[in-house]
Amino acid sequence: MTKVRYVEAKYDTTLSWDIEAIAEKNNFKIEEIAHMEVGKWVRLFITLKDGTQFWEDGNDTDATDWKWSSHQGYYDENWYKIDKEEVNG
């Protein structure tokens, strides 16, 4: 077995925003939205037809499915990738 120094596991996460709640909190109607875009750091940007802009951070609930990773990586001390077959013999 090749000597493994580092193991990485990747997990996919889904975050959601309640647009109706955001509209109510910021006193606008959904029909007034001209553009929405998710930017860096889990921030939703909303632009209204009149040019007014709002941003909302992602919710506090962690929807990550931690049961199974979507990818695993095995690396040696120099961060060179090791094939899974070499790790498990």
Coordinates of all heavy atoms in Angstrom, one line a residue:
M1 N 0.8 -1.2 0.0 CA 0.0 0.0 0.0 C 0.9 1.2 0.0 O 1.8 1.3 0.8 CB -0.9 0.0 1.2 CG -1.8 1.2 1.3 SD -3.0 1.0 2.6 CE -2.6 2.4 3.6
T2 N 0.5 2.2 -0.9 CA 1.3 3.5 -0.9 C 0.9 4.3 0.3 O -0.2 4.3 0.8 CB 0.8 4.3 -2.2 OG1 1.1 3.4 -3.3 CG2 1.6 5.5 -2.3
K3 N 1.9 5.0 0.9 CA 1.8 5.7 2.1 C 0.9 6.9 1.8 O 1.2 7.8 1.0 CB 3.1 6.2 2.6 CG 3.0 6.9 3.9 CD 4.3 7.3 4.5 CE 4.1 8.1 5.8 NZ 5.4 8.5 6.3
V4 N -0.3 7.0 2.5 CA -1.2 8.1 2.4 C -1.0 9.1 3.5 O -0.9 8.7 4.7 CB -2.7 7.6 2.4 CG1 -3.6 8.8 2.4 CG2 -2.9 6.7 1.3
R5 N -0.8 10.3 3.2 CA -0.6 11.4 4.2 C -1.9 12.2 4.4 O -2.3 12.6 5.5 CB 0.5 12.3 3.8 CG 0.7 13.5 4.6 CD 1.9 13.5 5.5 NE 2.0 14.6 6.4 CZ 2.9 15.5 6.4 NH1 4.0 15.4 5.6 NH2 2.9 16.5 7.3
Y6 N -2.6 12.5 3.3 CA -3.8 13.4 3.3 C -4.9 12.7 2.6 O -4.8 12.0 1.6 CB -3.5 14.7 2.6 CG -2.3 15.5 3.1 CD1 -1.1 15.5 2.4 CD2 -2.4 16.2 4.3 CE1 0.0 16.2 2.8 CE2 -1.3 16.9 4.7 CZ -0.1 16.9 4.0 OH 1.0 17.6 4.5
V7 N -6.1 12.9 3.2 CA -7.3 12.4 2.6 C -8.3 13.6 2.5 O -8.5 14.3 3.5 CB -8.0 11.3 3.4 CG1 -9.3 10.8 2.8 CG2 -7.0 10.1 3.5
E8 N -8.9 13.8 1.4 CA -9.9 14.9 1.2 C -11.3 14.2 0.9 O -11.3 13.2 0.2 CB -9.6 15.8 0.1 CG -8.4 16.7 0.3 CD -8.2 17.6 -0.8 OE1 -8.5 17.3 -2.0 OE2 -7.6 18.7 -0.6
A9 N -12.3 14.8 1.4 CA -13.7 14.4 1.1 C -14.5 15.6 0.7 O -14.5 16.6 1.4 CB -14.3 13.7 2.3
K10 N -15.2 15.5 -0.5 CA -16.0 16.6 -1.0 C -17.4 16.3 -0.7 O -17.9 15.2 -1.0 CB -15.7 16.8 -2.5 CG -16.5 17.9 -3.1 CD -16.2 18.0 -4.5 CE -17.0 19.1 -5.2 NZ -16.8 19.2 -6.6
Y11 N -18.2 17.3 -0.3 CA -19.6 17.2 -0.1 C -20.3 18.3 -0.8 O -19.9 19.4 -0.8 CB -19.9 17.3 1.4 CG -19.4 16.1 2.2 CD1 -18.1 16.2 2.8 CD2 -20.1 15.0 2.4 CE1 -17.5 15.1 3.5 CE2 -19.6 13.9 3.2 CZ -18.3 14.0 3.7 OH -17.7 13.0 4.4
D12 N -21.5 17.9 -1.4 CA -22.3 19.0 -2.0 C -23.3 19.5 -1.0 O -23.9 18.8 -0.2 CB -23.1 18.4 -3.2 CG -22.1 18.0 -4.4 OD1 -21.1 18.7 -4.6 OD2 -22.4 17.0 -5.0
T13 N -23.5 20.8 -1.1 CA -24.4 21.5 -0.2 C -25.5 22.3 -1.0 O -25.1 22.8 -2.0 CB -23.7 22.4 0.8 OG1 -22.8 21.6 1.5 CG2 -24.6 23.2 1.7
T14 N -26.7 22.3 -0.5 CA -27.7 23.1 -1.1 C -28.3 24.1 -0.1 O -28.6 23.7 1.0 CB -28.9 22.2 -1.6 OG1 -28.4 21.2 -2.5 CG2 -30.0 23.0 -2.2
L15 N -28.3 25.3 -0.5 CA -28.9 26.4 0.3 C -30.1 26.9 -0.4 O -30.1 26.9 -1.6 CB -27.9 27.5 0.6 CG -26.7 27.1 1.5 CD1 -25.7 28.2 1.5 CD2 -27.1 26.7 2.9
S16 N -31.1 27.5 0.3 CA -32.2 28.0 -0.3 C -32.6 29.4 0.4 O -32.3 29.6 1.5 CB -33.4 27.0 -0.2 OG -33.7 26.8 1.1
W17 N -33.3 30.2 -0.4 CA -33.8 31.4 0.1 C -35.3 31.5 -0.1 O -35.8 31.0 -1.1 CB -33.2 32.6 -0.7 CG -31.8 32.8 -0.4 CD1 -31.2 33.7 0.5 CD2 -30.7 32.2 -1.0 NE1 -29.9 33.7 0.4 CE2 -29.5 32.8 -0.5 CE3 -30.5 31.2 -2.0 CZ2 -28.2 32.4 -0.9 CZ3 -29.2 30.8 -2.4 CH2 -28.1 31.4 -1.8
D18 N -36.1 32.0 0.9 CA -37.5 32.2 0.7 C -37.8 33.5 0.2 O -37.7 34.6 0.9 CB -38.1 32.0 2.1 CG -39.7 32.1 2.1 OD1 -40.2 32.7 1.1 OD2 -40.3 31.6 3.0
I19 N -38.0 33.6 -1.1 CA -38.2 34.9 -1.8 C -39.4 35.7 -1.3 O -39.3 36.9 -1.1 CB -38.3 34.7 -3.3 CG1 -37.0 33.9 -3.8 CG2 -38.4 36.0 -4.1 CD1 -35.7 34.6 -3.5
E20 N -40.5 35.0 -1.0 CA -41.6 35.7 -0.4 C -41.3 36.3 0.9 O -41.7 37.5 1.2 CB -42.8 34.7 -0.2 CG -43.4 34.3 -1.6 CD -44.7 33.4 -1.4 OE1 -45.2 33.3 -0.2 OE2 -45.2 32.9 -2.4
A21 N -40.6 35.6 1.8 CA -40.2 36.2 3.1 C -39.2 37.4 2.9 O -39.3 38.4 3.6 CB -39.5 35.1 3.9
I22 N -38.3 37.3 1.9 CA -37.4 38.4 1.7 C -38.2 39.6 1.2 O -37.9 40.7 1.6 CB -36.3 38.0 0.6 CG1 -35.4 36.9 1.3 CG2 -35.5 39.2 0.2 CD1 -34.5 36.3 0.3
A23 N -39.1 39.4 0.3 CA -40.0 40.5 -0.3 C -40.8 41.1 0.8 O -40.8 42.4 0.9 CB -40.9 39.9 -1.4
E24 N -41.4 40.3 1.7 CA -42.1 40.9 2.8 C -41.3 41.7 3.8 O -41.6 42.8 4.2 CB -42.8 39.7 3.6 CG -43.8 40.2 4.7 CD -44.5 39.0 5.3 OE1 -44.9 38.1 4.6 OE2 -44.7 39.1 6.6
K25 N -40.1 41.1 4.1 CA -39.2 41.8 5.0 C -38.7 43.2 4.5 O -38.6 44.1 5.2 CB -38.0 40.9 5.3 CG -37.0 41.5 6.3 CD -35.9 40.5 6.6 CE -34.8 40.8 5.6 NZ -33.5 40.0 5.9
N26 N -38.5 43.2 3.1 CA -38.0 44.4 2.5 C -39.1 45.2 1.8 O -38.7 46.2 1.1 CB -36.9 44.0 1.5 CG -35.7 43.5 2.2 OD1 -34.9 44.2 2.8 ND2 -35.5 42.2 2.1
N27 N -40.3 44.9 2.0 CA -41.5 45.6 1.5 C -41.5 45.8 0.0 O -41.6 47.0 -0.5 CB -41.5 47.0 2.2 CG -42.9 47.6 2.2 OD1 -43.9 46.9 2.0 ND2 -42.9 48.9 2.2
F28 N -41.3 44.7 -0.7 CA -41.5 44.8 -2.2 C -42.3 43.5 -2.6 O -42.5 42.6 -1.8 CB -40.2 44.9 -3.0 CG -39.3 43.7 -2.9 CD1 -39.4 42.6 -3.7 CD2 -38.3 43.7 -2.0 CE1 -38.6 41.6 -3.7 CE2 -37.4 42.6 -1.9 CZ -37.6 41.5 -2.8
K29 N -42.9 43.6 -3.8 CA -43.6 42.5 -4.4 C -42.7 41.7 -5.3 O -41.9 42.2 -6.0 CB -44.8 43.0 -5.1 CG -45.8 43.6 -4.2 CD -47.1 44.1 -5.0 CE -48.1 44.6 -4.0 NZ -48.5 45.9 -4.3
I30 N -42.9 40.4 -5.3 CA -42.1 39.5 -6.2 C -42.2 39.9 -7.6 O -41.2 39.9 -8.4 CB -42.6 38.0 -6.0 CG1 -42.2 37.5 -4.6 CG2 -41.9 37.1 -7.1 CD1 -42.7 36.1 -4.3
E31 N -43.3 40.4 -8.1 CA -43.5 40.9 -9.5 C -42.5 42.1 -9.8 O -42.3 42.4 -11.0 CB -44.9 41.3 -9.7 CG -45.9 40.2 -9.6 CD -46.3 39.9 -8.1 OE1 -46.1 40.7 -7.2 OE2 -46.7 38.7 -7.9
E32 N -42.0 42.7 -8.8 CA -41.1 43.9 -9.0 C -39.7 43.5 -9.2 O -38.8 44.3 -9.6 CB -41.2 44.8 -7.8 CG -42.5 45.4 -7.5 CD -42.5 46.2 -6.2 OE1 -41.9 47.3 -6.3 OE2 -43.1 45.8 -5.2
I33 N -39.4 42.2 -9.1 CA -38.0 41.7 -9.3 C -37.6 41.7 -10.7 O -38.3 41.2 -11.6 CB -37.8 40.3 -8.7 CG1 -38.1 40.3 -7.2 CG2 -36.4 39.7 -9.0 CD1 -38.1 38.9 -6.5
A34 N -36.5 42.3 -11.0 CA -35.9 42.4 -12.4 C -34.8 41.3 -12.6 O -34.7 40.7 -13.7 CB -35.4 43.7 -12.7
H35 N -34.1 41.1 -11.5 CA -32.9 40.2 -11.7 C -32.5 39.6 -10.3 O -32.6 40.3 -9.3 CB -31.7 41.0 -12.2 CG -30.5 40.2 -12.4 ND1 -30.3 39.3 -13.5 CD2 -29.4 40.1 -11.7 CE1 -29.2 38.7 -13.4 NE2 -28.5 39.2 -12.3
M36 N -32.1 38.3 -10.3 CA -31.6 37.7 -9.1 C -30.4 36.9 -9.5 O -30.3 36.3 -10.5 CB -32.6 36.7 -8.5 CG -33.8 37.4 -7.8 SD -34.8 36.2 -6.8 CE -35.5 35.3 -8.1
E37 N -29.4 36.9 -8.6 CA -28.2 36.2 -8.8 C -27.5 35.8 -7.5 O -27.5 36.6 -6.6 CB -27.2 37.1 -9.6 CG -25.9 36.4 -10.0 CD -25.0 37.3 -10.8 OE1 -25.4 38.5 -11.0 OE2 -24.0 36.9 -11.2
V38 N -27.0 34.6 -7.4 CA -26.3 34.1 -6.3 C -24.8 34.4 -6.5 O -24.2 34.0 -7.5 CB -26.4 32.6 -6.0 CG1 -25.6 32.2 -4.8 CG2 -27.9 32.3 -5.8
G39 N -24.2 35.2 -5.6 CA -22.8 35.6 -5.7 C -21.9 34.8 -4.8 O -22.3 33.8 -4.3
K40 N -20.8 35.4 -4.6 CA -19.8 34.7 -3.7 C -20.3 34.7 -2.3 O -21.1 35.5 -1.9 CB -18.5 35.5 -3.7 CG -17.7 35.4 -4.9 CD -16.4 36.1 -4.8 CE -15.5 36.0 -6.0 NZ -14.3 36.8 -5.8
W41 N -19.8 33.7 -1.5 CA -20.1 33.6 -0.1 C -21.5 33.4 0.2 O -22.0 34.0 1.2 CB -19.4 34.7 0.7 CG -18.0 34.9 0.3 CD1 -17.5 36.0 -0.3 CD2 -16.9 34.1 0.5 NE1 -16.1 35.9 -0.6 CE2 -15.8 34.7 -0.1 CE3 -16.8 32.8 1.0 CZ2 -14.5 34.0 -0.1 CZ3 -15.5 32.2 1.0 CH2 -14.4 32.8 0.5
V42 N -22.3 32.7 -0.6 CA -23.7 32.4 -0.3 C -24.5 33.6 -0.1 O -25.3 33.7 0.8 CB -23.8 31.5 0.9 CG1 -25.2 30.8 1.0 CG2 -22.7 30.4 0.9
R43 N -24.4 34.6 -1.0 CA -25.1 35.8 -1.0 C -26.0 35.9 -2.2 O -25.5 35.9 -3.3 CB -24.2 37.0 -0.9 CG -24.9 38.3 -0.6 CD -24.0 39.4 -0.2 NE -23.8 39.2 1.2 CZ -22.9 39.9 1.9 NH1 -22.2 40.9 1.3 NH2 -22.7 39.7 3.2
L44 N -27.3 36.1 -2.0 CA -28.3 36.3 -3.1 C -28.5 37.8 -3.3 O -28.8 38.5 -2.4 CB -29.6 35.7 -2.7 CG -30.8 35.9 -3.7 CD1 -30.5 35.2 -5.0 CD2 -32.1 35.4 -3.1
F45 N -28.3 38.2 -4.5 CA -28.5 39.6 -4.9 C -29.8 39.8 -5.7 O -30.0 39.0 -6.6 CB -27.3 40.1 -5.8 CG -26.0 40.2 -5.0 CD1 -25.1 39.1 -5.1 CD2 -25.7 41.3 -4.3 CE1 -23.9 39.1 -4.4 CE2 -24.5 41.3 -3.6 CZ -23.6 40.2 -3.6
I46 N -30.6 40.7 -5.3 CA -31.9 41.0 -5.9 C -31.9 42.4 -6.4 O -31.7 43.3 -5.6 CB -33.1 40.7 -4.9 CG1 -33.0 39.3 -4.4 CG2 -34.4 41.1 -5.6 CD1 -34.0 39.0 -3.3
T47 N -32.3 42.6 -7.6 CA -32.5 43.9 -8.2 C -33.9 44.1 -8.6 O -34.4 43.2 -9.4 CB -31.5 44.2 -9.4 OG1 -30.2 43.9 -9.0 CG2 -31.6 45.6 -9.9
L48 N -34.5 45.2 -8.2 CA -35.9 45.4 -8.6 C -35.9 46.2 -9.9 O -34.9 46.8 -10.3 CB -36.6 46.2 -7.5 CG -36.7 45.5 -6.1 CD1 -37.5 46.4 -5.1 CD2 -37.2 44.1 -6.2
K49 N -37.1 46.3 -10.5 CA -37.3 47.0 -11.8 C -37.0 48.4 -11.7 O -36.5 49.1 -12.6 CB -38.7 46.8 -12.3 CG -38.9 45.3 -12.7 CD -40.4 45.1 -13.1 CE -40.6 43.6 -13.5 NZ -42.0 43.3 -13.7
D50 N -37.1 49.0 -10.5 CA -36.8 50.5 -10.3 C -35.3 50.7 -10.0 O -34.9 51.8 -9.7 CB -37.7 51.1 -9.2 CG -37.4 50.6 -7.8 OD1 -36.5 49.8 -7.6 OD2 -38.1 51.0 -6.8
G51 N -34.5 49.6 -10.0 CA -33.1 49.8 -9.7 C -32.7 49.5 -8.3 O -31.5 49.4 -8.0
T52 N -33.6 49.4 -7.3 CA -33.3 49.1 -5.9 C -32.7 47.8 -5.8 O -33.1 46.8 -6.5 CB -34.6 49.2 -5.1 OG1 -35.2 50.4 -5.3 CG2 -34.3 49.0 -3.6
Q53 N -31.6 47.7 -5.0 CA -30.9 46.4 -4.8 C -31.0 46.0 -3.4 O -30.9 46.8 -2.5 CB -29.5 46.5 -5.3 CG -29.4 46.8 -6.8 CD -27.9 46.9 -7.2 OE1 -27.0 47.3 -6.5 NE2 -27.7 46.6 -8.5
F54 N -31.1 44.7 -3.2 CA -31.1 44.0 -1.9 C -30.1 42.8 -2.0 O -29.9 42.3 -3.1 CB -32.4 43.5 -1.5 CG -33.5 44.5 -1.4 CD1 -34.3 44.8 -2.5 CD2 -33.7 45.2 -0.2 CE1 -35.3 45.7 -2.4 CE2 -34.7 46.1 -0.1 CZ -35.5 46.4 -1.2
W55 N -29.6 42.4 -0.8 CA -28.8 41.2 -0.8 C -29.2 40.5 0.5 O -29.5 41.1 1.5 CB -27.3 41.4 -0.9 CG -26.7 42.3 0.1 CD1 -26.5 43.7 0.0 CD2 -26.3 42.0 1.4 NE1 -25.9 44.2 1.1 CE2 -25.8 43.2 2.0 CE3 -26.2 40.8 2.2 CZ2 -25.2 43.2 3.3 CZ3 -25.7 40.9 3.4 CH2 -25.2 42.1 4.0
E56 N -29.2 39.2 0.4 CA -29.5 38.3 1.5 C -28.5 37.2 1.6 O -28.1 36.6 0.6 CB -30.9 37.7 1.3 CG -32.1 38.6 1.4 CD -32.4 39.0 2.9 OE1 -32.2 38.2 3.8 OE2 -32.8 40.2 3.0
D57 N -28.0 37.0 2.8 CA -27.1 35.9 3.0 C -27.9 34.6 3.1 O -29.1 34.6 3.4 CB -26.3 36.0 4.3 CG -25.2 37.1 4.2 OD1 -24.7 37.3 3.1 OD2 -25.0 37.8 5.2
G58 N -27.2 33.4 2.8 CA -27.9 32.1 2.9 C -28.4 31.9 4.3 O -28.0 32.5 5.3
N59 N -29.3 30.9 4.4 CA -30.0 30.6 5.7 C -29.0 29.9 6.6 O -27.9 29.5 6.2 CB -31.2 29.8 5.5 CG -31.0 28.5 4.8 OD1 -29.9 27.9 4.8 ND2 -32.0 28.0 4.0
D60 N -29.3 29.9 7.8 CA -28.4 29.3 8.9 C -28.5 27.8 9.0 O -27.7 27.2 9.7 CB -28.7 29.9 10.2 CG -28.4 31.4 10.3 OD1 -27.6 31.8 9.5 OD2 -29.0 32.1 11.1
T61 N -29.4 27.2 8.2 CA -29.5 25.7 8.4 C -28.5 25.1 7.4 O -28.3 25.5 6.3 CB -31.0 25.2 8.0 OG1 -31.3 25.6 6.7 CG2 -32.0 25.8 8.9
D62 N -27.9 24.0 7.9 CA -26.9 23.3 7.1 C -27.6 22.1 6.5 O -28.0 21.2 7.1 CB -25.8 22.8 8.0 CG -24.7 22.2 7.2 OD1 -24.8 22.0 6.0 OD2 -23.6 21.9 7.9
A63 N -27.8 22.2 5.2 CA -28.5 21.2 4.4 C -27.5 20.1 3.8 O -27.9 19.4 3.0 CB -29.3 21.8 3.3
T64 N -26.3 20.1 4.3 CA -25.3 19.2 3.7 C -25.6 17.8 4.1 O -25.9 17.5 5.2 CB -23.9 19.6 4.3 OG1 -23.6 20.9 4.0 CG2 -22.8 18.7 3.7
D65 N -25.6 16.9 3.1 CA -25.8 15.5 3.3 C -24.4 14.9 3.7 O -23.6 14.7 2.8 CB -26.4 14.8 2.1 CG -26.5 13.3 2.2 OD1 -26.2 12.8 3.3 OD2 -27.0 12.7 1.3
W66 N -24.1 14.7 4.9 CA -22.8 14.3 5.4 C -22.7 12.7 5.3 O -21.6 12.2 5.6 CB -22.6 14.7 6.8 CG -22.5 16.2 6.9 CD1 -23.4 17.0 7.5 CD2 -21.4 17.0 6.5 NE1 -23.0 18.3 7.4 CE2 -21.7 18.4 6.8 CE3 -20.2 16.8 5.9 CZ2 -20.9 19.4 6.6 CZ3 -19.3 17.9 5.6 CH2 -19.7 19.2 6.0
K67 N -23.7 12.0 4.9 CA -23.7 10.6 4.9 C -22.6 10.0 4.0 O -21.8 9.2 4.4 CB -25.1 10.0 4.6 CG -25.1 8.5 4.7 CD -26.5 8.0 4.6 CE -26.6 6.5 4.8 NZ -27.9 5.9 4.6
W68 N -22.6 10.5 2.7 CA -21.6 10.0 1.8 C -21.0 11.2 1.1 O -21.7 12.1 0.6 CB -22.3 9.1 0.7 CG -22.9 7.9 1.3 CD1 -24.3 7.7 1.4 CD2 -22.3 6.8 1.8 NE1 -24.5 6.5 2.0 CE2 -23.3 5.9 2.2 CE3 -20.9 6.4 1.9 CZ2 -23.0 4.6 2.8 CZ3 -20.6 5.1 2.5 CH2 -21.7 4.3 2.9
S69 N -19.7 11.2 0.9 CA -19.0 12.2 0.2 C -19.2 12.0 -1.3 O -19.4 10.9 -1.8 CB -17.5 12.3 0.5 OG -16.9 11.1 0.1
S70 N -19.2 13.1 -2.1 CA -19.4 12.9 -3.5 C -18.0 12.7 -4.2 O -18.0 12.3 -5.4 CB -20.0 14.2 -4.1 OG -19.2 15.3 -3.9
H71 N -16.9 12.8 -3.5 CA -15.6 12.6 -4.0 C -14.6 12.4 -2.9 O -14.7 13.0 -1.9 CB -15.1 13.7 -4.9 CG -13.7 13.6 -5.4 ND1 -13.3 12.8 -6.4 CD2 -12.6 14.2 -4.9 CE1 -12.0 12.9 -6.5 NE2 -11.6 13.7 -5.7
Q72 N -13.7 11.5 -3.1 CA -12.6 11.3 -2.1 C -11.3 11.4 -2.9 O -11.2 10.9 -4.0 CB -12.6 9.9 -1.4 CG -13.9 9.6 -0.7 CD -14.9 9.0 -1.6 OE1 -14.6 8.1 -2.4 NE2 -16.2 9.4 -1.5
G73 N -10.3 12.0 -2.2 CA -9.0 12.1 -2.8 C -8.0 11.6 -1.8 O -8.1 11.9 -0.6
Y74 N -6.9 10.9 -2.3 CA -5.9 10.4 -1.5 C -4.6 10.9 -2.0 O -4.3 10.9 -3.2 CB -5.9 8.9 -1.5 CG -7.2 8.3 -1.0 CD1 -8.2 8.0 -2.0 CD2 -7.5 8.1 0.3 CE1 -9.5 7.5 -1.5 CE2 -8.7 7.6 0.7 CZ -9.7 7.3 -0.2 OH -10.9 6.8 0.2
Y75 N -3.7 11.5 -1.1 CA -2.5 12.2 -1.5 C -1.3 11.8 -0.6 O -1.5 11.5 0.6 CB -2.7 13.7 -1.4 CG -3.9 14.1 -2.2 CD1 -5.2 14.2 -1.7 CD2 -3.8 14.5 -3.6 CE1 -6.3 14.6 -2.4 CE2 -4.9 14.9 -4.3 CZ -6.1 14.9 -3.7 OH -7.2 15.3 -4.5
D76 N -0.2 11.8 -1.2 CA 1.0 11.5 -0.4 C 1.5 12.8 0.3 O 0.9 13.8 0.2 CB 2.1 10.8 -1.3 CG 2.7 11.8 -2.4 OD1 2.5 13.0 -2.3 OD2 3.4 11.2 -3.2
E77 N 2.7 12.7 0.9 CA 3.2 13.8 1.6 C 3.5 15.1 0.8 O 3.6 16.2 1.3 CB 4.5 13.4 2.4 CG 5.6 13.0 1.5 CD 6.9 12.6 2.3 OE1 6.7 12.2 3.4 OE2 7.9 12.6 1.7
N78 N 3.7 14.9 -0.5 CA 3.9 16.0 -1.5 C 2.6 16.4 -2.2 O 2.7 17.1 -3.2 CB 5.0 15.6 -2.5 CG 6.3 15.3 -1.9 OD1 6.8 16.2 -1.1 ND2 6.9 14.2 -2.1
W79 N 1.5 15.9 -1.7 CA 0.2 16.2 -2.3 C 0.0 15.7 -3.7 O -0.7 16.2 -4.5 CB -0.2 17.7 -2.3 CG -0.6 18.2 -0.9 CD1 0.2 18.7 0.0 CD2 -1.9 18.1 -0.3 NE1 -0.5 19.0 1.1 CE2 -1.8 18.6 1.0 CE3 -3.1 17.6 -0.8 CZ2 -2.9 18.7 1.8 CZ3 -4.2 17.7 0.0 CH2 -4.1 18.2 1.3
Y80 N 0.7 14.6 -4.0 CA 0.5 13.8 -5.3 C -0.6 12.9 -5.1 O -0.6 12.1 -4.1 CB 1.8 13.1 -5.7 CG 2.9 14.0 -6.1 CD1 4.1 14.1 -5.4 CD2 2.8 14.9 -7.3 CE1 5.1 15.0 -5.8 CE2 3.8 15.7 -7.7 CZ 5.0 15.8 -6.9 OH 6.0 16.6 -7.3
K81 N -1.5 12.8 -6.1 CA -2.7 12.0 -6.0 C -2.3 10.5 -6.0 O -1.4 10.1 -6.8 CB -3.6 12.3 -7.1 CG -5.0 11.6 -7.0 CD -6.0 12.1 -8.0 CE -7.3 11.4 -8.0 NZ -8.1 11.5 -6.8
I82 N -2.9 9.7 -5.2 CA -2.7 8.3 -5.1 C -4.0 7.6 -5.6 O -5.1 8.0 -5.1 CB -2.4 7.8 -3.7 CG1 -1.1 8.5 -3.2 CG2 -2.3 6.3 -3.6 CD1 -0.8 8.3 -1.7
D83 N -3.9 6.7 -6.5 CA -5.1 6.0 -7.0 C -5.8 5.2 -5.8 O -5.1 4.6 -5.0 CB -4.8 5.0 -8.1 CG -4.5 5.8 -9.4 OD1 -5.0 6.9 -9.6 OD2 -3.7 5.2 -10.2
K84 N -7.1 5.2 -5.8 CA -7.8 4.4 -4.8 C -7.4 3.0 -4.7 O -7.3 2.4 -3.6 CB -9.3 4.6 -5.0 CG -10.1 4.1 -3.9 CD -11.6 4.3 -4.1 CE -12.4 3.8 -2.9 NZ -13.8 4.1 -3.1
E85 N -7.1 2.4 -5.9 CA -6.7 1.0 -5.9 C -5.4 0.8 -5.1 O -5.2 -0.3 -4.5 CB -6.6 0.5 -7.3 CG -7.9 0.4 -8.1 CD -8.4 1.8 -8.6 OE1 -7.6 2.7 -8.8 OE2 -9.6 1.9 -8.7
E86 N -4.5 1.7 -5.2 CA -3.3 1.6 -4.5 C -3.5 1.8 -3.0 O -2.8 1.1 -2.2 CB -2.3 2.7 -4.9 CG -1.8 2.5 -6.3 CD -0.8 3.7 -6.7 OE1 0.2 3.8 -6.0 OE2 -1.1 4.3 -7.7
V87 N -4.5 2.6 -2.6 CA -4.7 2.8 -1.2 C -5.3 1.5 -0.5 O -4.9 1.1 0.6 CB -5.7 3.9 -1.0 CG1 -6.1 4.1 0.5 CG2 -5.1 5.2 -1.5
N88 N -6.3 0.9 -1.2 CA -6.9 -0.3 -0.7 C -6.4 -1.6 -1.1 O -6.9 -2.6 -0.8 CB -8.4 -0.2 -1.0 CG -9.1 1.0 -0.4 OD1 -8.9 1.3 0.8 ND2 -9.9 1.7 -1.2
G89 N -5.3 -1.6 -1.9 CA -4.6 -2.8 -2.2 C -5.3 -3.5 -3.3 O -5.7 -4.5 -3.6

